[in-house]
Amino acid sequence: MNNRNGLHIQIVIFALITSVLTALANLLVENIVGINVFSFGLWLIIPVGAVLIGMGGASGGFLACRYFNIMPSKLDAIALTLVAAFTMFLIYYMGYSTLVLDDGVLAKDVVDFGTYLDVVVTKAHMKVGRALNHDTGEVGSFGYWLLVIRFVGVLIGGFAIFASLKELPVCSDCDVYFKKIGVKENLQPNSDTAQTILDKIRSGTVEDYASAIESTGKGDCDVKIEFTLMRCPKCRSEMVTEEFFVKNKDKNFVAVKELNGKTLMPKDSIIPSLFAKK
Ligand SMILES: [Zn+2]
């Protein structure tokens, strides 16, 4: 099953299912609420909606990998990106095949898809301003640039799904994804106390590690460390990932990826008991 070079058909099938569902959801939201999520952009050109739609379209591939324990290959990455692009096509095609003109005639009975697309792309109006109250008028040929930008957006979204799969921790002995068992948050007043925790994490003894998890501060803290206990569903070996967050000047925690790490736990250690719900 885990051919690391070939194409995994399960990924393609699952991704195609979520692709159709994503396009349908986009159509439904547009018809009910009047907002086309796909065409939503920031500062006119950042295709936020297209990236989200690309991610939604390819998300089935993520589920398939987790479910079947597939480590995606480069071919899978291409497949996921293509399915994301297909989602964009579906959105336009569903819009075309369901559009009813003012006189009650179905648009698809009077124009072909190419003509429809040209009209949709060039005659679209862009809404700008904070309350979307300023209309720029028809976008004209700039619409094709928007189309290209959105196309790049969905590709990025599809690839992001692949990239997030590559981030998932894998048991190197069994070639399966670790399962998340529990999360424990540790707050530290300042960078000095956080350094003490980091030293304990890296000391290599289970006692120090346990104390790193347990010795959390209280009140207004500048550093947060998130411990996540993972277990291999096959050989049951255990691992804890450490993620660091520091408060910025707006008092929001931001990730400090350089400090992140993971530590394999010896068999039957006391560590899992620290994650038990109290
Ligand atoms: Zn294992």
Side-chain angles (χ1 to χ4, degrees), residues 246-263:
V246 173
K247 250 185 204 160
N248 63 9
K249 55 183 187 316
D250 299 324
K251 298 272 172 201
N252 294 319
F253 279 118
V254 286
V256 187
K257 291 219 160 130
E258 303 86 74
L259 293 176
N260 291 357
K262 52 186 180 208
T263 310

Side-chain angles (χ1 to χ4, degrees), residues 171 174 232 235:
C171 176
C174 314
C232 169
C235 70

Side-chain angles (χ1 to χ4, degrees), residues 34-49:
I35 296 169
N36 187 332
V37 177
F38 168 69
S39 62
F40 179 74
L42 269 185
W43 302 297
L44 296 184
I45 55 160
I46 312 284
V48 179

Side-chain angles (χ1 to χ4, degrees), residues 12 38 51 54 60 66 79 119 123 128 132 134 150 158 171 189 214 223 246 257 270 272:
V12 179
F38 168 69
V51 174
R66 291 300 311 260
V119 172
K123 300 275 189 273
V128 293
L132 298 178
H134 177 70
R150 284 169 190 166
C171 176
E214 293 272 83
V223 186
V246 173
K257 291 219 160 130
I270 54 160

Side-chain angles (χ1 to χ4, degrees), residues 171 173-174 176 232 234-237:
C171 176
D173 293 336
C174 314
V176 297
C232 169
K234 252 189 178 165
C235 70
R236 326 260 328 141
S237 69

